Amino acid sequence: EDRTLRVATSVPQHHYLTRAIQTFADRVNERTDGEISFEVYPAQSLVTDQQMDQAVANGTVDIGIASASILAGTIPAFNIFAVPFYFDTREKLDHSVTRGNPIRTTLDEEIEKKGLHAAFWIPYGSIAMVTRDKPVHVPDDMKGMKIRTFGSTVSEFVEAVGAAPVVTSGGEQFLALQRGIVDGGLTGWSSVTDRRLYEVSKYVVATDHMYETHFALMSSGVWDSLSPETQKIFQEVGEEMESELMDEIFTVNDKAKAELSEKMDVIELTDAEKTQWKEATRSVAEHFYESGDDVSKTVFEEAEKVQ
Amino acid sequence: MESLFVLLALLALLFAGIPVGIALTATGTGLLLLKGIPIAGVPEEFLASFNSFILLAVPIFLLTSNILLKAGVAKDLFDAVQRWVGGIRGGVAVATIISCGIFAAISGSSVAVAAMIGTVAIPEMTRRGYDRPFVMGTLAAGATLGILIPPSIPLIVYAAVAEESTASMFLAGIGPGLCLVAAFLVYCLVKSHRGGAPETGDAMDDPRSRLTLSIKAAPTIIIALTMIGGIYAGIFTPTESSAVGLTMTLVYVLVLRRSLDFKGLREAVVGAGLTTANLLLIIGGANVFGKALLLYRIPFEISNWIATNIETAGLFVLIVTALLLVLGLFLEGIAMILIVLPVLLPSLGVNGIDPVWFGIYFVLMIELALITPPVGMNLFVIQSVARSDLNEVIRGVIPYVVIMMGMVALIYYVPSIVLYIPFSG
Amino acid sequence: MTHDQHRPRIRSHPLVRLLDKAVMGIAELSSWIYLLIGAIVTYEVVVRYVFNAPTHWVEEMSRLGMVWATFLILAACLNQRQLITITLLSNAAGPRVSAALEAITFALIAALALVIAWYGFESMMQTVSIGRRTNTTLSLPYWSFYLPIVLGFALLAVQALAELVLLLVFGARANEPFEPEDI
Ligand code: NA
Ligand code: NA
């Protein structure tokens, strides 16, 4: 079966995510002796991140790189990764998001129920907070600040410490910081370097309070149309990539921190400070559990077990 | 080869008189079908185009312009400016350019400026015996400032397509906008002294004092300064700036000035609605077309060709200028951005052209398109406001065309005119 | 603006007038949405800048309003011949040729609008079946964004088909040609 699959990402060509799916594509292509090839459309040239799941569902693309934050609109249980400090160590991640763990299995099933299939999960790393000109160490420092956020649970985190969440489109994020429309913003470590946020903010706080994951998302239709041999290759390559990338994100984050420490103040939280943050944002976890649907409750209970 | 066919097909539809948005959608959909891509992506593109907080500024700026036009606010401003500069030879022409500049700082479109200032300035100048082509040319060209000086609808669309910050684009327009105002003023003075304006100064018949007139005109200037100042100071984003400007304008014309009745407001609202949907249909269509181009990798083919054949930024700009001049004869504004930009965008990086600079350059080319025959919207508007002969307007804009070409050359050699303000904060 | 008195008589047929009224009425209501959005966005600026209390709803509701308003005005653009067009050659062509081009335009618009409305409907049903929602505090169902695509393009298709019938069967053309861009 000779097939070409269209792949779309919403980040630039040399971004970590595009490189990850490109590596996946190259390996699958090699192991299928060229039978399966890929056309990669990076930088939302074909699909924006907001539309990614829909574009996969209606067949505009065969594989789309979507984030848990976007998918959480449809499957609220994905907000579990935004519950503060529940997935902040490698150990916790190894017991939750890697294959075979109950959280992973439950969420994969939810994806299948929506007519989609995650070829593999792309580990992305933790979320940091940049601030324009105010060093933040403890939750009290956040009082009255305006913070750019994404997603509903992320906003709750900001509100829990007395700051105000501001919705700004990705393109205006740099400007909003530069001009002071917001005082800070939550974002991935790689975005701080890639979007040159260090030019417009003095500090980056290693809150590392939430985990962000992405998916190589396919529709069930496309997945089912692949031969069993090809499916097996997808699974094998996906599995090896997941474990390689999980190692990589920790080095990538460390590298980003080292690089950034020359351009801005990197603020690491002490254990005592971290405890204060956990205390201050406990309500987010409670709210997630209480207002969550059955699946959210299930994954939350599982997440409690790995704390 | 494929790319040539695609572009020819589009041009054929366009010149057959098929509306631009429809032609783009049809070509794009056809290309998707040929490539076997599900056309479920087409409504998706339209939704993604319309579901945009950045483009939301378009209807709101249009609404503000329409309301100012219906409320007859331009006369207050024009009278005040004229009271200050009217005494010199050619004073009304000078007042016209300055008024265009100030209204450009509120209006996002140039046709709105042409209609607003044209209505009050043309009678003033013709009554005093100004050279008619000079009058028409000054208005047609002066009004094009509307899209260079922020706010600007073409700059919003450019920012959306090129994924640049709208605020950067707006701030980048200030420097060249002021330079162009200065160049126009110099020309007006020279032309007036060479017989374009009557020899006596243009003393006004209006007995009111400078202070009285200035106070009457102040709200317009305050609104303009708030809108751009607020963006610069980081109080709000461009879309929010449009909303603040609209609210201030409503308070001004409904409460302070009481010069707009419900009928006028209603016409302004419906007019802005129709223009918005009209523009967004093109934007949606262009996005469908753009996605199809990408699937065929046409922009990459073109940028590869440029990378191997066009070795300097200067040559690239020269060729694009020629292309836009020709295209601008028939087409203008948003349509020009949406048809050309997706094709050229990947090529900018090849020769190291700054996308913010390119946006301002592009808007200068659109300004030219607005005043070049056979299709130039500003020519038409001034012709109809003045009830004059189109040839008269065309003769009058020729010197301005030369000045604007000079401006293109100037920003090419001195790019900091464009880039200093947005990147100095 | 339209000058109904100059239009050929068939355009004053009750059915045609009903369509005109419906299309223009919907467009007018939709246009006011933009003014409303201007007001709520100003409100957002004030509460954020003055009271340091940004809202959860203004950004998303403005986009939703923009989507509804814009799709629902499309048909009125055709009704009023406000569709940006390169008129140079078609204006220069004789009446028969330009009528033929107009017929092609209407047919093309009708076909495209039907296709888009149909696929928009399918997408909408898909979002309903999996319960797709925005990941924001409002958590709006996505169908609220897709429904206006369906309604707007369906209305545009009806308008285009009506124009086609009027032109082909009754030879009735509106007074105004399509127009160049006025920005
Ligand atoms: Na302007
Ligand atoms: Na022109």
Side-chain angles (χ1 to χ4, degrees):
Chain A
E1 49 161 357
D2 274 343
R3 274 188 76 172
T4 303
L5 300 177
R6 283 185 303 279
V7 182
T9 78
S10 60
V11 292
Q13 192 154 17
H14 301 292
H15 189 278
Y16 163 81
L17 287 172
T18 311
R19 283 188 286 119
I21 193 64
Q22 187 67 58
T23 310
F24 175 84
D26 293 344
R27 290 187 191 172
V28 170
N29 181 263
E30 195 189 315
R31 288 199 210 170
T32 56
D33 295 321
E35 275 184 20
I36 304 285
S37 52
F38 299 84
E39 281 174 355
V40 180
Y41 296 89
Q44 55 188 18
S45 54
L46 203 53
V47 190
T48 65
D49 56 350
Q50 297 290 333
Q51 303 166 282
M52 200 59 87
D53 50 337
Q54 187 66 23
V56 169
N58 68 31
T60 307
V61 295
D62 300 306
I63 301 179
I65 308 305
S67 71
S69 302
I70 296 292
L71 225 52
T74 309
I75 307 172
F78 272 109
N79 277 324
I80 185 74
F81 297 117
V83 173
F85 306 106
Y86 268 51
F87 299 91
D88 56 345
T89 65
R90 173 71 192 257
E91 206 190 345
K92 291 181 192 173
L93 290 173
D94 280 339
H95 292 103
S96 53
V97 297
T98 49
R99 290 180 194 219
N101 288 303
I103 293 184
R104 169 67 182 263
T105 312
T106 310
L107 289 172
D108 266 337
E109 279 166 10
E110 285 306 303
I111 294 178
E112 302 279 342
K113 280 185 202 158
K114 302 294 182 189
L116 299 166
H117 172 84
F120 68 108
W121 288 30
I122 311 177
Y124 192 63
S126 55
I127 296 296
M129 181 173 67
V130 293
T131 56
R132 284 184 82 219
D133 44 23
K134 186 175 176 190
V136 167
H137 293 273
V138 292
D140 276 347
D141 296 336
M142 297 283 291
K143 289 250 153 29
M145 288 179 83
K146 288 181 282 247
I147 303 292
R148 188 242 174 201
T149 66
F150 51 93
S152 52
T153 307
V154 186
S155 299
E156 285 172 26
F157 170 79
V158 168
E159 283 180 321
V161 294
V166 176
V167 185
T168 320
S169 59
E172 297 288 358
Q173 187 183 352
F174 183 92
L175 170 106
L177 282 164
Q178 183 191 34
R179 300 278 160 200
I181 293 170
V182 295
D183 305 306
L186 291 166
T187 188
W189 282 99
S190 53
S191 295
V192 185
T193 42
D194 291 350
R195 291 188 186 264
R196 293 178 306 148
L197 299 184
Y198 51 81
E199 288 180 7
V200 289
S201 32
K202 282 201 194 118
Y203 302 98
V204 55
V205 192
T207 55
D208 291 336
H209 62 284
M210 66 169 277
Y211 176 71
E212 177 73 313
T213 183
H214 284 71
F215 315 93
L217 210 57
M218 307 172 74
S219 71
S220 310
V222 171
W223 174 248
D224 292 340
S225 72
L226 300 174
S227 70
E229 298 76 42
T230 309
Q231 287 184 346
K232 192 156 165 283
I233 292 173
F234 266 56
Q235 262 158 349
E236 285 166 8
V237 175
E239 196 162 348
E240 70 188 44
M241 294 231 24
E242 277 181 24
S243 69
E244 286 173 26
L245 292 173
M246 190 57 93
D247 292 336
E248 196 182 326
I249 55 168
F250 283 91
T251 44
V252 165
N253 280 2
D254 289 341
K255 258 203 329 224
K257 273 184 205 177
E259 199 188 319
L260 286 172
S261 64
E262 287 164 20
K263 294 170 174 141
M264 58 202 302
D265 276 348
V266 180
I267 299 178
E268 296 279 1
L269 301 180
T270 64
D271 286 343
E273 286 166 349
K274 210 156 223 172
T275 312
Q276 284 194 47
W277 281 90
K278 284 183 189 172
E279 291 298 325
T281 56
R282 198 165 298 281
S283 60
V284 181
E286 284 159 12
H287 182 252
F288 176 85
Y289 185 73
E290 277 154 21
S291 67
D293 53 12
D294 289 347
V295 187
S296 300
K297 287 193 163 62
T298 311
V299 294
F300 186 84
E301 283 154 11
E302 290 297 334
E304 284 281 334
K305 289 181 197 162
V306 302
Q307 297 306 312
Chain B
M1 215 47 222
E2 226 170 20
S3 42
L4 204 62
F5 278 121
V6 172
L7 295 177
L8 283 178
L10 178 66
L11 286 180
L13 286 181
L14 287 176
F15 279 101
I18 309 285
V20 176
I22 301 298
L24 286 164
T25 314
T27 319
T29 310
L31 287 172
L32 292 178
L33 280 174
L34 280 178
K35 187 114 195 181
I37 311 277
I39 46 180
V42 177
E44 215 66 50
E45 279 308 318
F46 272 94
L47 177 58
S49 312
F50 294 12
N51 184 13
S52 156
F53 194 70
I54 291 176
L55 290 181
L56 184 56
V58 171
I60 302 183
F61 280 131
L62 285 169
L63 198 46
T64 306
S65 299
N66 281 0
I67 288 171
L68 289 171
L69 183 60
K70 296 274 178 208
V73 168
K75 179 137 182 47
D76 288 354
L77 180 78
F78 186 75
D79 284 349
V81 177
Q82 205 193 335
R83 178 55 98 203
W84 284 91
V85 299
I88 53 175
R89 188 173 181 187
V92 189
V94 169
T96 300
I97 294 293
I98 294 176
S99 303
C100 282
I102 295 174
F103 257 105
I106 298 188
S107 166
S109 89
S110 66
V111 166
V113 175
M116 280 190 268
I117 308 295
T119 325
V120 289
I122 291 174
E124 286 286 316
M125 284 197 275
T126 41
R127 187 164 58 82
R128 289 161 201 270
Y130 274 64
D131 175 49
R132 280 185 61 89
F134 175 46
V135 172
M136 309 299 159
T138 302
L139 276 155
T144 65
L145 290 166
I147 57 170
L148 180 60
I149 294 176
S152 158
I153 290 170
L155 283 178
I156 296 169
V157 174
Y158 180 91
V161 176
E163 284 169 39
E164 287 298 321
S165 147
T166 315
S168 300
M169 295 311 307
F170 276 13
L171 297 176
I174 297 175
L178 293 177
C179 285
L180 203 53
V181 169
F184 285 176
L185 285 177
V186 169
Y187 168 74
C188 280
L189 287 172
V190 172
K191 172 76 186 173
S192 297
H193 280 274
R194 295 173 128 209
E199 274 180 45
T200 52
D202 292 331
M204 276 174 66
D205 316 329
D206 196 322
R208 287 172 300 171
S209 71
R210 258 184 201 176
L211 185 67
T212 318
L213 287 173
S214 302
I215 290 172
K216 274 204 87 177
T220 315
I221 295 171
I222 292 172
I223 296 172
L225 288 177
T226 308
M227 282 164 69
I228 193 67
I231 296 176
Y232 191 80
I235 297 170
F236 39 61
T237 64
T239 302
E240 291 168 345
S241 159
S242 71
V244 170
L246 173 64
T247 306
M248 290 174 80
T249 303
L250 281 173
V251 171
Y252 172 39
V253 302
L254 293 177
V255 181
L256 296 180
R257 205 168 184 276
R258 295 169 191 263
S259 60
L260 185 70
D261 55 4
F262 181 73
K263 184 170 162 285
L265 180 62
R266 183 179 162 184
E267 280 172 14
V269 167
V270 175
L274 283 169
T275 311
T276 302
N278 192 358
L279 285 178
L280 267 96
L281 178 68
I282 304 194
I283 294 177
N287 282 338
V288 174
F289 180 70
K291 294 291 136 109
L293 286 184
L294 275 173
L295 283 165
Y296 284 76
R297 306 224 159 230
I298 291 172
F300 304 110
E301 274 177 30
I302 291 179
S303 68
N304 282 340
W305 186 87
I306 286 174
T308 45
N309 291 289
I310 297 179
E311 276 151 11
T312 65
L315 188 59
F316 176 77
V317 172
L318 205 63
I319 291 174
V320 175
T321 304
L323 172 77
L324 293 182
L325 274 177
V326 173
L327 212 57
L329 298 179
F330 313 100
L331 203 67
E332 54 210 13
I334 315 297
M336 224 156 95
I337 294 179
L338 290 171
I339 292 173
V340 176
L341 197 60
V343 183
L344 286 187
L345 214 45
S347 304
L348 296 185
V350 174
N351 288 309
I353 292 170
D354 188 299
V356 172
W357 180 88
F358 193 72
I360 298 301
Y361 155 81
F362 210 115
V363 166
L364 271 168
M365 297 307 297
I366 294 175
E367 287 190 77
L368 274 165
L370 284 166
I371 55 171
T372 52
V375 180
M377 204 55 210
N378 276 25
L379 301 177
F380 300 158
V381 173
I382 294 305
Q383 179 206 10
S384 84
V385 169
R387 291 189 193 80
S388 89
D389 177 27
L390 191 59
N391 286 326
E392 218 167 45
V393 192
I394 293 171
R395 251 190 298 141
V397 298
I398 293 172
Y400 288 99
V401 170
V402 175
I403 294 172
M404 282 152 78
M405 289 302 296
M407 194 63 212
V408 171
L410 183 67
I411 65 162
Y412 177 75
Y413 288 108
V414 193
S416 59
I417 295 175
V418 178
L419 299 175
Y420 181 75
I421 297 179
F423 298 115
S424 69
Chain C
M1 286 284 119
T2 330
H3 304 284
D4 285 292
Q5 65 273 23
H6 297 310
R7 288 186 165 192
R9 276 188 50 196
I10 183 66
R11 292 211 69 107
S12 55
H13 187 281
L15 267 180
V16 179
R17 278 176 41 199
L18 181 70
L19 179 67
D20 281 351
K21 256 205 155 113
V23 165
M24 292 313 295
I26 290 171
E28 173 161 356
L29 277 179
S30 305
S31 300
W32 286 98
I33 294 178
Y34 294 126
L35 191 82
L36 194 68
I37 297 174
I40 64 170
V41 173
T42 307
Y43 171 79
E44 165 78 20
V45 172
V46 172
V47 295
R48 190 185 64 220
Y49 188 69
V50 182
F51 302 104
N52 206 38
T55 69
H56 287 290
W57 55 275
V58 165
E59 200 262 1
E60 191 165 24
M61 289 313 287
S62 318
R63 283 188 287 105
L64 185 64
M66 165 108 169
V67 168
W68 274 87
T70 312
F71 279 113
L72 288 178
I73 300 174
L74 290 177
C77 290
L78 177 58
N79 184 294
Q80 299 292 305
R81 296 298 186 272
Q82 274 214 19
L83 289 173
I84 295 164
T85 303
I86 301 182
T87 46
L88 194 70
L89 297 183
S90 46
N91 281 357
R96 288 186 69 89
V97 175
S98 69
L101 287 175
E102 229 172 272
I104 292 172
T105 301
F106 296 142
L108 192 59
I109 294 176
L112 281 175
L114 281 174
V115 166
I116 296 173
W118 172 253
Y119 283 98
F121 178 74
E122 281 202 333
S123 282
M124 182 177 79
M125 294 317 287
Q126 202 167 27
T127 68
V128 171
S129 75
I130 66 168
R132 195 169 167 243
R133 285 172 172 271
T134 62
N135 183 29
T136 56
T137 313
L138 295 184
S139 186
L140 296 177
Y142 258 101
W143 62 257
S144 60
F145 286 87
Y146 283 88
L147 184 57
I149 311 183
V150 182
L151 298 178
F153 274 102
L155 199 60
L156 179 62
V158 171
Q159 178 74 48
L161 286 172
E163 298 285 358
L164 189 63
V165 170
L166 284 173
L167 179 62
L168 292 185
V169 180
F170 303 100
R173 301 175 66 190
N175 235 7
E176 307 82 9
F178 289 107
E179 57 170 28
E181 183 179 337
D182 56 347
I183 285 300

